Amino acid sequence: MNTLKGLCASKGIGIGTAYVYVKPFITIENNIITNDQKETEINIFNNAIKKSSDEINNLISISKLDDQKHVLTAHLEILNDIALIDETINKINNDNFPSDRAFKETVDSFIAMFENIDDEYLKARGEDLKDVYVRAICNIKNIPFTDSLDTLEKDTIIISKDLTPSDTIKMDVDNVCALVSELGSKTSHTSIIANNLGIAALVGANDVCKHVKTSDVVIVDGFNGNIIINPDDETLSSYIKKRDEYLQHLKDLEKVKDLPATTLCGETLSVCANAGSVDECVKAFEQNASGIGLFRTEFIYMHSNHFPTEEEQFEIYKDVAKSSNGKYVKIRTLDIGGDKELPYYEFDEEENPFLGLRGIRLCLKLKDIFKVQLRAILRASAFGTIQIMLPMVISVNEILDTKKLIDEVKFDLDKENISYDKNIKVGIMIETPASVLNADELAKNSDFFSIGTNDLTQYILAVDRGNSNIANLYDTFHSAVLKSIKIVIDSAKKNNISCGMCGEFAGNDEATKLLLGMGLKEFSVSSSKVSQVKHTIRTNKISDCANIFNEYL
């Protein structure tokens, strides 16, 4: 018996036989072409993009899982991204690169941009780009792009370097009981598919492909991150019992999905979802989320080769509003800077970018760009219950300056006789020590608060959440962070405004109880966690949770 470790990406326990899935390695030579070859290489590239698009469209048509369709639709958009195509053709024309090298270097630069982002959700989009790259590069080099996961034995555990949507689209999902990959993150495609299937998944399992052989008996523990190879009888029996208990728990959660998030003491709370696209909003409402507590807009900017126009943004926000069927959607304004960059905007080099020009600071510097987004959001508010949420606010002046811009946009819309919600709510993210200490004053100028625990934790504790050397110090359960959250919730209650939380902490089961005890009224989590949070709320009393919180401190 041998045990390896991985990062828990999807809860569950898988017990079965390993299948080690190995994909071919594609080599790109660093050669140069002549000027006479440029037109041919551009044609090869364009034809490969066309063929890859046709293949993805076919996969969408045969996909059985909604999550796969959503991801593949996003892949289609990435593949046909103007910035990606233009930059590749520029490298062919200007650098005399052959199409394969030009495409690889372009994709590498885009992936680097995503990987430098200290946001697991955004970083995972780099994984999507890698999948798009492999398909397109195979078509550029005329290499067969095949799947080998369509015929599997019952209770198969797939062990791989990495799993992409193209790998899993034809996967015999009915016979898969767990997924393990060396690469990937908690928000990667491996995690999405595993959560959709309700099976265990581990990512970041270093060298697992070297230690596990096809046909090995394997246990995948999606709670503790263990990969147990060829377990003894006692260990096997113990895990079979744990697996059966968890499967019963999942059945209980399914019953909760369409029920209100009402505590045992009779108070009904809101369980919302975080989203970054129209498809993700649709998925959230399929899970009967109370609303969208965080709609990220940075993708609209990052997947473009220019600052998106008003019309481009309006169409997306309008679709989001329509998908909500009357439920509210909090649209966070552009949250770029720090670790998130744009390919078409050059940021000044900063010694401490996380403390630099980011969030609302950047928006108020680029007021013309900001007003374009505000105008698009306001126009979309005529189609649903839209709210505006401002990131990285540390002062009342930032709120007032933004409201002044909103008033200017409203004035223009009125002159043009364009409809919008004249009473649209404007709230802020609480992410810094300054916003915590000034919560009472900020609340008097806001319609709602939303606590972003990811940034709040790193700023309260002075711990860079992307620094692996001090990862053990990054702890949202730290008493200083919990006390800060309580201050914010109390300030919101005192000033009669709503207070939610859209950070990952809201979806942690232990944290949910603490937050209930603190008086939090809105939890915004990933779609896959909506039922779990509802279940926790429905099986607890607020008074009991308050006692847990007081004892915790």
Side-chain angles (χ1 to χ4, degrees), residues 259-323:
L259 298 176
T262 303
T263 64
L264 290 176
C265 49
E267 183 169 353
T268 300
L269 308 178
S270 297
V271 181
C272 301
N274 302 328
S277 68
V278 178
D279 284 340
E280 290 182 3
C281 289
V282 171
K283 177 185 174 184
F285 293 124
E286 287 172 352
Q287 295 301 311
N288 205 21
S290 304
I292 301 298
L294 165 64
F295 183 80
R296 302 175 174 92
T297 62
E298 44 266 48
F299 275 153
I300 303 170
Y301 292 78
M302 295 173 75
H303 285 165
S304 179
N305 64 351
H306 60 274
F307 280 107
T309 65
E310 178 185 328
E311 283 304 314
E312 288 170 336
Q313 295 188 65
F314 167 66
E315 290 298 329
I316 295 171
Y317 303 148
K318 181 179 72 173
D319 288 344
V320 167
K322 286 183 173 181
S323 74

Side-chain angles (χ1 to χ4, degrees), residues 157-160 163 178-182 190 201-202 205 208 220 227:
I157 293 176
I158 296 175
I159 310 290
S160 68
L163 279 174
L179 304 173
V180 180
S181 66
E182 294 186 3
T190 300
L202 302 181
V208 67
V220 176
I227 306 152

Side-chain angles (χ1 to χ4, degrees), residues 484-524:
S484 297
I485 292 171
K486 186 70 167 72
I487 288 171
V488 175
I489 294 172
D490 289 346
S491 293
K493 183 178 181 180
K494 174 185 174 183
N495 290 279
N496 296 313
I497 67 170
S498 64
C499 183
M501 178 178 290
C502 60
E504 293 178 12
F505 195 61
N508 180 296
D509 191 44
E510 183 181 356
T512 300
K513 295 176 185 178
L514 293 177
L515 295 168
L516 278 172
M518 291 188 218
L520 190 72
K521 304 300 182 185
E522 179 195 279
F523 299 75
S524 192

Side-chain angles (χ1 to χ4, degrees), residues 15 29-30 33 134 136 302 317 330 402 404 416 438 447 480:
I15 303 172
E29 301 293 340
N30 292 328
I33 61 172
V134 173
M302 295 173 75
Y317 303 148
K330 295 179 179 178
T402 300
K404 181 180 178 182
E416 298 169 45
N438 286 336
D447 292 316

Side-chain angles (χ1 to χ4, degrees), residues 286-452:
E286 287 172 352
Q287 295 301 311
N288 205 21
S290 304
I292 301 298
L294 165 64
F295 183 80
R296 302 175 174 92
T297 62
E298 44 266 48
F299 275 153
I300 303 170
Y301 292 78
M302 295 173 75
H303 285 165
S304 179
N305 64 351
H306 60 274
F307 280 107
T309 65
E310 178 185 328
E311 283 304 314
E312 288 170 336
Q313 295 188 65
F314 167 66
E315 290 298 329
I316 295 171
Y317 303 148
K318 181 179 72 173
D319 288 344
V320 167
K322 286 183 173 181
S323 74
S324 68
N325 292 318
K327 295 180 178 180
Y328 62 88
V329 177
K330 295 179 179 178
I331 297 181
R332 183 173 68 186
T333 56
L334 180 60
D335 190 14
I336 290 291
D339 55 352
K340 290 176 276 189
E341 299 180 352
L342 298 175
Y344 47 85
Y345 179 79
E346 187 173 348
F347 288 84
D348 293 334
E349 187 171 338
E350 297 178 308
E351 187 172 342
N352 294 303
F354 280 103
L355 306 180
L357 190 63
R358 58 173 300 198
I360 194 63
R361 303 168 185 177
L362 178 65
C363 289
L364 290 174
K365 179 183 179 182
L366 305 177
K367 289 185 179 179
D368 289 342
I369 301 297
F370 192 21
K371 286 180 73 172
V372 169
Q373 182 177 39
L374 292 173
R375 186 178 164 97
I377 294 173
L378 279 166
R379 286 176 59 196
S381 70
F383 297 87
T385 308
I386 297 291
Q387 301 176 12
I388 299 173
M389 185 158 68
L390 311 178
M392 277 296 290
V393 170
I394 63 169
S395 72
V396 170
N397 284 340
E398 289 167 332
I399 302 173
L400 297 180
D401 287 346
T402 300
K403 286 185 175 181
K404 181 180 178 182
L405 293 179
I406 292 173
D407 286 341
E408 290 175 8
V409 172
K410 287 181 175 180
F411 180 78
D412 290 339
L413 292 175
D414 286 336
K415 282 200 305 182
E416 298 169 45
N417 199 29
I418 296 176
S419 299
Y420 65 91
D421 179 2
K422 296 184 184 297
N423 298 310
I424 191 169
K425 291 185 177 182
V426 180
I428 66 170
M429 297 276 291
I430 301 292
E431 303 172 273
T432 66
S435 59
V436 172
L437 295 174
N438 286 336
D440 193 55
E441 185 180 2
L442 293 170
K444 289 178 171 62
N445 293 274
S446 304
D447 292 316
F448 63 86
F449 283 163
S450 184
I451 303 170

